[in-house]
Amino acid sequence: MSQTHVIKVTKDKMNQMRVSYEKNRLNKNIPYTDFIAKVGTTTITAYTSGKVVFQGPDAERIAAKWGISTSSKSSKSSSTSKKNNTNTLPANFSQLSVLGSDEVGNGSYFGPVTVCAAYVDKDMVAKLKALGVRDSKELTDPQIINLSTVIKEIIPYKLLIVEPEKYNQIQPKYNAVHMKVALHNQAIYLLLNELAPIKPDAILIDQFTPEANFKKYVKSEKNQVTEKLYFITKGEQYHVAVAAASIISRAAFLEELDKESAELGIKVPSGAGSTADKIAAKVLEKGGMELLSKYTKLHFANTEKAKQLLKK
C-alpha cells in the first residue's frame, strides 16, 4: 500500500537533500516547493516551509534517512482526511456570495509574489463560470491574461504585488508562510473595507498552511480578519471566487515577469529550476548582486548556484 510520510527539516538539512536528490529531480514548477524528486516509485516533495513529503511504497524507509516522520498515513486515510475537510464548508457553498483569495509566485525565483482577494456575489457565480473562470492551472498564459482583464471589469478585487526588491527587505523578518499570511490578511481586509456595507457569506482562503498556523501568524498583524474564514486546499474547486483570485494573481505575476524580461533584455523564467540558475548567472555577470536583488528572491538556493556557474 502507498504510504505518505512527512518530516520537517532545517535549512541546512534541506540543502543536503537538494544536493542528494539532484539527479532524481523532476522538472516540475509547483508553487511553494523547493524541489520534487522521484526515487524508484517514491515521490519526494520538498516545500519552502521546510516540510518534506514522501509518497510511495518505500516512503518510510527513504524518509527515515532524513528524520523522524511527523505523520504517517496510507493513501486511503489521506483521501478520507480530504473529504472531512470539505465538510467544514457551509451547505451549497459554491452558490454563496464568497470572498476568495489566492497567491502566485512564492515558489518562483524570479518575479514577485502576487496575492489577490476577489469577491463574487451569488448572482455573478454563473456568469463567471460561463466565461470559463476555473483553476488557472487548466488555462494557458494568454487565456489567463485575457480572462483577468475581463474579471477585473466585473467583480470587486484587491491585488497586492510584492516585487523582489521589497520581498528581499521583508524576508529576513518574515518566513515564507508568515509573509503569505500577512498578504492574504491585508488583501482581504482592504477588499472588505471597499465592499462595506456588503458582507460576504464566507471568506475562503486557498490553504497553504494549517488553520492554526495561519491564526498564529495573523495575530501579529495590525488589521486582523478573523470572522467567516474557511481554509481548504484547491479552493478554486469549491468556489469560483478563489478561481478568479487565482487568475488575477497569475496574470499579474506573468505581466511582471514580462516586465523583468524587457528591463534585463533576457527572458526570465518562472519557477526555480536549472534555467533560473543560468539566467541568474547572466544577471550577476551584468550587474552583480545589486542587480540580481531587484529581480529575484535572494534567499532561494538558486543564488548560490548562479554564483557557482559564474565561476566556471
Side-chain angles (χ1 to χ4, degrees), residues 22-35:
E22 181 69 36
K23 293 179 181 178
N24 304 94
R25 284 170 65 170
L26 302 178
N27 188 24
K28 287 187 176 182
N29 175 29
I30 308 294
Y32 326 127
T33 59
D34 188 301
F35 69 86

Side-chain angles (χ1 to χ4, degrees), residues 108-119:
S108 180
Y109 181 54
F110 282 91
V113 173
T114 59
V115 177
C116 180
Y119 175 68

Side-chain angles (χ1 to χ4, degrees), residues 258-293:
D258 285 345
K259 191 189 297 183
E260 287 193 6
S261 297
E263 290 174 3
L264 287 168
I266 307 169
K267 177 67 176 175
V268 300
S270 174
S274 58
T275 303
D277 303 337
K278 293 169 187 173
I279 300 301
K282 290 181 180 179
V283 176
L284 273 175
E285 190 173 27
K286 192 174 184 178
M289 286 296 290
E290 184 179 352
L291 185 63
L292 191 66
S293 69

Side-chain angles (χ1 to χ4, degrees), residues 5-8 63-71:
H5 286 262
V6 183
I7 64 172
K8 184 82 173 177
K65 176 183 175 183
W66 300 103
I68 299 170
S69 179
T70 57
S71 69

Side-chain angles (χ1 to χ4, degrees), residues 88-197:
T88 63
L89 298 178
N92 202 31
F93 189 82
S94 65
Q95 300 304 311
L96 299 180
S97 298
V98 171
L99 187 157
S101 70
D102 199 3
E103 88 287 329
V104 173
N106 188 67
S108 180
Y109 181 54
F110 282 91
V113 173
T114 59
V115 177
C116 180
Y119 175 68
V120 178
D121 183 89
K122 60 186 178 183
D123 295 331
M124 288 294 292
V125 169
K127 182 173 183 178
L128 286 178
K129 287 183 177 179
L131 285 170
V133 176
R134 58 188 188 277
D135 184 357
S136 63
K137 298 180 190 69
E138 298 176 5
L139 302 167
T140 64
D141 289 351
Q143 284 176 321
I144 287 168
I145 290 168
N146 289 337
L147 262 178
S148 175
T149 302
V150 175
I151 294 168
K152 289 189 288 187
E153 291 292 327
I154 61 177
I155 65 168
Y157 72 96
K158 178 58 65 173
L159 174 67
L160 302 180
I161 300 175
V162 182
E163 301 285 4
E165 198 164 16
K166 182 67 174 177
Y167 178 98
N168 291 325
Q169 293 170 9
I170 300 170
Q171 189 273 325
K173 303 171 191 173
Y174 282 62
N175 64 38
V177 174
H178 191 173
M179 192 185 299
K180 283 188 287 184
V181 169
L183 291 170
H184 276 266
N185 179 76
Q186 182 70 355
I188 293 167
Y189 172 79
L190 293 172
L191 184 54
L192 285 173
N193 279 357
E194 289 183 8
L195 288 172

Side-chain angles (χ1 to χ4, degrees), residues 304-312:
E304 290 306 315
K305 290 180 182 179
K307 288 178 182 177
Q308 294 304 315
L309 285 173
L310 199 58
K311 289 178 183 178
K312 292 181 180 179

Side-chain angles (χ1 to χ4, degrees), residues 41-58:
T41 56
T42 297
T43 302
I44 302 160
T45 307
Y47 292 91
T48 51
S49 63
K51 183 178 78 171
V52 185
V53 180
F54 299 78
Q55 293 173 300
D58 213 18

